[in-house]
Amino acid sequence: MKITSTSCICPVLVCLCFVQRCYGTAHHSSIKVTRNQTKHIEGETEVHHRPKRGWVWNQFFVLEEHMGPDPQYVGKLHSNSDKGDGSVKYILTGEGAGTIFIIDDTTGDIHSTKSLDREQKTHYVLHAQAIDRRTNKPLEPESEFIIKVQDINDNAPKFTDGPYIVTVPEMSDMGTSVLQVTATDADDPTYGNSARVVYSILQGQPYFSVDPKTGVIRTALHNMDREAREHYSVVIQAKDMAGQVGGLSGSTTVNITLTDVNDNPPRFPQKHYQLYVPESAQVGSAVGKIKANDADTGSNADMTYSIINGDGIGIFSISTDKETREGILSLKKPLNYEKKKSYTLTIEGANTHLDFRFSHLGPFKDATMLKIIVGDVDEPPLFSMPSYVMEVYENAKIGTVVGTVLAQDPDSDNSLVRYFIDYSAEDDRCFNIDVNTGTIRTTKVLDREETSWYNITVAASENDNPGLLSHVTVGIRVLDVNDNPPELAREYDIVVCENSKPGQVIHTISATDKDDFANGPRFNFFLDEHLSINPNFTLKDNEDNTASILTRRRRFSRTIQDVYYLPIMISDGGIPSLSSSSTLTVRVCACERDGRVRTCHAEAFLSSAGLSTGALIAILLCVVILLAIVVLFITLRRSKKEPLIISEEDVRENVVTYDDEGGGEEDTEAFDITALRNPSAAEELKYRRDIRPEVKLTPRHQTLSTLESIDVQEFIKQKLAEADLDPSVPPYDSLQTYAYEGQRSEAGSISSLDSATTQSDQDYHYLGEWGPEFKKLAELYGEIESERTT
């Protein structure tokens, strides 16, 4: 099968058509595919031969942007098996088959039905096959071929980044590169000149030029001056077809701005200036301005001003305003018309940033002459000093001279000067001044401890012009005299422990003095010599403005005396020396072994023994109740004539007294309680005979059996319960006593019966570890031990 293309359509395709015809097998180029043939010879095996391809050209060309009314002819498919009788059917498959490309299945002619755009798709891959129309079997294998879209010049060059904004320094050399512009063409760069672009300049000559191949824009003139022209608009054109007639073109705008360089020196508009400055101008104030012009901008126009000559160099100074680039003339010293009436200055302005490429243009600085005229004005009086400091002693008499101020008229008239103190409404007027002489005196008695420094303002005016004033500050220091005695620094709470020792420091005191340091410390502490020697305390001067209070004897007792008073004397170091007396209060307190205060009050002493205020009140109430019971009992005994209890064997009438402490549960010599331990020894219950019992009593054998199984403690509790349930209570003529010591103590006996009668060497320090209940006992034994040791 062979594919035949169309004849050459335009001169552009002449070469292509020629190549196609040279390699084709017929007048129309075609793609031919032959069958695979196998030859059979008798007596020989079947031999396979390599298939021979009958086509010599495997691609077609179709022109893009075809606008004709009929479909565009692309090429022809033809098979060697086609005899022209219509038995061969041609089939076309692949990209665009049936939609863009159609085939005549009998003749094999291929047509394009749509206008194609190479910029969207450059080629299409299709497959051709020839089959037997009757059997639908392929006559040849499927063949692949390509249809390429032939480019035409249908796209103009475009500048994708325009318009451009760029800068170039002024005064640049000719040919300085400014910018490179690039235009793109969507046409095929490999075919013809459709995408071959050349550049040209449409606007911007003769200042700039462009390279036609690279698009590089360069300066075309020497010494382009920004001060003459700053902005340029350059139009660049790009044209395809290598710039030939009929090519498409596109353009862009390049906005070029010349940047400034320091190629212009500063210049003063005038060579001579004149300035008027009154003599009353304040030192440090600005008295005038001067400016030099510079055609440059930015940092290239920055300059500094200086005074390079003249008789006013020490009187005036000049500085530069960075914003306005002006020279600010200031006054360094006061002017005096009577001494000098004019000054001459030479002022120079120079650039700060120099470009040595343009040094040939001349020095980048300029100078001018400035004459300053001093104006005469009526000046206020001038004090002899800018400020005054005076001193006066406190307690000085009213009218004491403090000091004198002096002011004069600086003008040639030398008018008389008057003085007065400029007081505000709330000031305390302690001084006055002589209006003619300026002498300051006191009007009150001053107290340094109240105010140690006064600041007043003295004003001076001329008699001829009272409204013209000058002021000066006068500081008055009040000097100290020794008029305040020393006193204790604060109220002291001094405590002495009951167990203190002789020579023990119990407190340190200090003193203060309202007077100045020279009349205050150093302080001396001592006891009043007119009083007898204190037997309890003494005072030691530490010679560092403090004193220590020491004890003179051993031990103090709150029960004997809980407060002591110690009168002391304090003197200062002034001339003459002043002294004062004070009385210190010393409280006696109970302290721990390490010296910490435990309590200082009498009720606290009772609390330490285990009795609080509530306990004392309860004890008193119990005593009152017991007294009332005793009185009632005695009254009833006197009113009764015969006893209520008849039994002669009642043990309640037998009172046995023992005068020893006993040894606890183990001490059974004083009283044998085996009777209580043996329930059988208990006497049969007896009841009162004077009244009739109202409750049912327990039989004796039940009582005995119960007593055998209980402890004596339970026995006593039972007896107490029976007594409480007795309807005939209270038993006025009977006393029931049940005593029970309890179980054996783990701490052992504290009885003193076994103690030796001589003094013991036992150490009682362990009592302090038993807790607060034993503190008093520990103190007592500790005192006994300390006295024995002493």
Side-chain angles (χ1 to χ4, degrees):
M1 180 177 64
K2 61 182 178 180
I3 303 173
T4 304
S5 65
T6 183
S7 60
C8 297
I9 300 177
C10 63
V12 180
L13 301 180
V14 172
C15 295
L16 179 61
C17 293
F18 177 77
V19 173
Q20 289 177 340
R21 291 175 179 176
C22 290
Y23 285 92
T25 57
H27 178 71
H28 294 287
S29 298
S30 62
I31 297 177
K32 178 180 180 182
V33 181
T34 60
R35 297 194 186 115
N36 293 336
Q37 297 181 0
T38 302
K39 184 177 181 181
H40 298 277
I41 304 175
E42 292 186 16
E44 294 183 3
T45 60
E46 183 178 2
V47 178
H48 296 279
H49 296 277
R50 183 177 180 182
K52 180 181 180 182
R53 299 188 179 273
W55 53 270
V56 295
W57 196 251
N58 64 343
Q59 63 182 356
F60 291 150
F61 292 90
V62 60
L63 197 63
E64 70 169 333
E65 304 294 346
H66 177 69
M67 305 303 293
D70 298 327
Q72 184 180 1
Y73 180 72
V74 177
K76 182 180 183 63
L77 295 180
H78 183 73
S79 175
N80 292 338
S81 301
D82 188 1
K83 304 302 183 179
D85 56 358
S87 61
V88 179
K89 181 179 181 180
Y90 298 96
I91 299 176
L92 184 66
T93 60
E95 296 178 336
T99 57
I100 300 176
F101 303 103
I102 58 175
I103 188 172
D104 188 328
D105 60 356
T106 302
T107 62
D109 293 330
I110 302 174
H111 290 81
S112 172
T113 62
K114 294 182 178 179
S115 176
L116 302 181
D117 189 356
R118 190 202 65 86
E119 286 68 40
Q120 293 183 358
K121 190 173 180 62
T122 59
H123 66 278
Y124 298 84
V125 179
L126 294 99
H127 297 85
Q129 189 175 21
I131 64 173
D132 192 332
R133 192 180 294 273
R134 292 170 298 178
T135 61
N136 287 332
K137 291 182 179 183
L139 299 176
E140 296 180 6
E142 185 179 72
S143 299
E144 180 181 275
F145 64 97
I146 297 174
I147 299 178
K148 287 190 174 182
V149 181
Q150 188 69 47
D151 181 51
I152 63 173
N153 189 17
D154 59 343
N155 290 279
K158 293 182 180 179
F159 293 92
T160 56
D161 298 330
Y164 301 86
I165 298 176
V166 68
T167 60
V168 63
E170 66 171 332
M171 310 300 290
S172 297
D173 295 335
M174 186 176 66
T176 301
S177 176
V178 178
L179 177 69
Q180 182 178 13
V181 295
T182 303
T184 59
D185 195 315
D187 291 327
D188 189 359
T190 63
Y191 177 73
N193 294 327
S194 298
R196 184 181 176 185
V197 177
V198 293
Y199 301 93
S200 61
I201 184 167
L202 300 182
Q203 177 182 320
Q205 294 175 333
Y207 307 103
F208 298 95
S209 64
V210 63
D211 190 297
K213 294 182 178 180
T214 62
V216 175
I217 303 173
R218 302 178 185 275
T219 58
L221 292 178
H222 287 286
N223 301 330
M224 296 177 65
D225 191 2
R226 184 198 66 84
E227 287 72 32
R229 181 176 178 181
E230 184 176 4
H231 300 287
Y232 297 86
S233 180
V234 179
V235 178
I236 303 297
Q237 182 189 64
K239 189 175 184 180
D240 60 12
M241 296 299 292
Q244 297 177 5
V245 178
L248 302 179
S249 64
S251 63
T252 186
T253 301
V254 181
N255 295 312
I256 302 175
T257 301
L258 298 182
T259 57
D260 185 61
V261 297
N262 191 9
D263 58 341
N264 293 278
R267 290 289 181 263
F268 285 101
Q270 301 175 209
K271 291 301 180 180
H272 297 277
Y273 291 90
Q274 184 171 310
L275 179 66
Y276 173 83
V277 180
E279 64 173 339
S280 59
Q282 298 295 321
V283 174
S285 63
V287 297
K289 297 180 181 180
I290 193 169
K291 185 177 182 180
N293 298 326
D294 194 321
D296 296 323
T297 60
S299 61
N300 295 318
D302 290 343
M303 67 184 71
T304 57
Y305 297 90
S306 60
I307 301 175
I308 60 175
N309 198 0
D311 56 358
I313 293 179
I315 306 298
F316 298 92
S317 64
I318 192 168
S319 60
T320 305
D321 189 326
K322 300 297 183 181
E323 299 295 332
T324 62
R325 298 187 177 93
E326 293 177 328
I328 309 300
L329 193 67
S330 302
L331 187 64
K332 292 175 61 177
K333 295 181 180 180
L335 300 176
N336 193 332
Y337 174 80
E338 288 71 25
K339 293 182 178 180
K340 191 172 179 61
K341 296 179 174 56
S342 65
Y343 297 90
T344 302
L345 300 176
T346 301
I347 299 177
E348 181 184 77
N351 283 140
T352 56
H353 304 283
L354 299 180
D355 193 336
F356 295 102
R357 296 177 301 170
F358 308 105
S359 59
H360 63 280
L361 298 179
F364 284 79
K365 58 184 178 180
D366 193 18
T368 188
M369 189 74 68
L370 175 62
K371 184 177 182 180
I372 300 174
I373 306 299
V374 179
D376 184 23
V377 295
D378 189 5
E379 300 174 84
L382 180 65
F383 282 96
S384 61
M385 297 177 62
S387 63
Y388 295 86
V389 177
M390 303 177 182
E391 296 179 345
V392 61
Y393 281 97
E394 65 174 330
N395 301 330
K397 295 180 180 180
I398 297 176
T400 300
V401 176
V402 178
T404 302
V405 297
L406 178 63
Q408 294 181 348
D409 183 9
D411 298 323
S412 57
D413 297 340
N414 196 13
S415 301
L416 295 178
V417 177
R418 299 176 62 86
Y419 305 92
F420 60 93
I421 297 176
D422 188 5
Y423 280 116
S424 59
E426 63 274 5
D427 285 344
D428 187 10
R429 305 191 176 189
C430 299
F431 307 93
N432 61 12
I433 189 170
D434 190 292
V435 296
N436 297 317
T437 64
T439 301
I440 300 174
R441 300 175 183 270
T442 61
T443 59
K444 293 182 180 180
V445 177
L446 306 180
D447 186 0
R448 190 201 68 85
E449 286 71 38
E450 181 179 349
T451 305
S452 61
W453 187 275
Y454 292 89
N455 286 317
I456 62 176
T457 301
V458 176
S461 64
E462 300 177 6
N463 286 340
D464 300 337
N465 190 0
L468 195 61
L469 300 175
S470 61
H471 299 79
V472 69
T473 301
V474 179
I476 301 175
R477 181 187 295 110
V478 181
L479 302 178
D480 183 55
V481 298
N482 193 17
D483 58 345
N484 290 279
E487 56 187 14
L488 289 175
R490 57 184 177 85
E491 293 185 3
Y492 291 96
D493 183 15
I494 304 176
V495 172
V496 61
C497 295
E498 290 183 317
N499 57 354
S500 61
K501 299 177 182 179
Q504 181 177 349
V505 177
I506 62 174
H507 209 86
T508 301
I509 61 175
S510 61
T512 59
D513 196 321
K514 295 180 180 179
D515 291 323
D516 198 4
F517 183 82
N519 293 317
R522 114 164 166 81
F523 298 117
N524 295 318
F525 300 84
F526 53 90
L527 298 178
D528 194 347
E529 298 177 353
H530 300 86
L531 300 177
S532 59
I533 298 176
N534 193 313
N536 301 312
F537 306 98
T538 185
L539 188 67
K540 177 186 177 183
D541 193 338
N542 297 326
E543 298 184 357
D544 60 353
N545 296 325
T546 64
S548 300
I549 302 174
L550 295 82
T551 58
R552 297 179 65 95
R553 66 182 180 88
R554 181 186 302 278
R555 297 194 174 280
F556 294 83
S557 176
R558 289 176 293 166
T559 57
I560 297 174
Q561 185 174 353
D562 60 346
V563 177
Y564 293 87
Y565 297 98
L566 180 64
I568 63 172
M569 302 290 292
I570 309 174
S571 64
D572 58 21
I575 300 175
S577 177
L578 297 181
S579 62
S580 65
S581 61
S582 300
T583 301
L584 300 175
T585 302
V586 183
R587 295 186 299 146
V588 182
C589 298
C591 303
E592 302 288 350
R593 294 178 65 88
D594 57 358
R596 291 181 299 170
V597 176
R598 187 171 72 245
T599 181
C600 297
H601 303 287
E603 59 272 17
F605 174 77
L606 295 175
S607 299
S608 64
L611 297 177
S612 62
T613 304
L616 291 175
I617 296 174
I619 291 173
L620 292 176
L621 290 177
C622 292
V623 170
V624 172
I625 293 173
L626 288 175
L627 289 176
I629 293 175
V630 170
V631 172
L632 181 60
F633 180 74
I634 294 173
T635 303
L636 291 177
R637 287 293 298 271
R638 290 180 178 178
S639 63
K640 300 293 182 180
K641 294 182 179 180
E642 58 182 28
L644 296 177
I645 302 177
I646 301 176
S647 175
E648 297 179 357
E649 299 178 358
D650 194 346
V651 296
R652 289 177 295 177
E653 295 180 355
N654 300 329
V655 180
V656 181
T657 303
Y658 297 92
D659 197 19
D660 56 352
E661 182 177 358
E665 292 84 355
E666 297 179 354
D667 188 3
T668 58
E669 297 178 358
F671 181 77
D672 188 3
I673 64 173
T674 55
L676 291 177
R677 296 291 184 184
N678 187 4
S680 62
E683 186 180 1
E684 184 177 356
L685 296 174
K686 295 181 176 60
Y687 305 100
R688 294 182 58 175
R689 300 176 183 178
D690 55 346
I691 61 175
R692 181 179 180 181
E694 296 180 359
V695 296
K696 183 177 181 180
L697 301 178
T698 306
R700 184 176 183 275
H701 67 277
Q702 294 180 359
T703 303
L704 292 176
S705 62
T706 305
L707 291 175
E708 291 176 358
S709 62
I710 64 176
D711 188 34
V712 63
Q713 182 179 3
E714 296 297 327
F715 174 73
I716 292 175
K717 289 182 180 180
Q718 182 177 358
K719 288 299 183 179
L720 289 174
E722 290 177 358
D724 293 335
L725 296 175
D726 191 351
S728 59
V729 295
Y732 301 105
D733 58 347
S734 63
L735 180 63
Q736 297 181 2
T737 302
Y738 301 96
Y740 178 59
E741 184 175 0
Q743 301 296 329
R744 179 175 179 179
S745 173
E746 295 180 0
S749 175
I750 62 173
S751 174
S752 61
L753 295 178
D754 296 335
S755 303
T757 58
T758 61
Q759 291 185 354
S760 174
D761 294 335
Q762 185 175 356
D763 186 7
Y764 294 98
H765 291 309
Y766 64 87
L767 295 176
E769 302 175 356
W770 284 16
E773 295 81 0
F774 294 93
K775 283 187 177 181
K776 187 60 181 178
L777 186 61
E779 292 174 0
L780 294 175
Y781 277 89
E783 293 178 359
I784 295 172
E785 179 184 0
S786 177
E787 292 176 357
R788 183 171 64 250
T789 304
T790 305

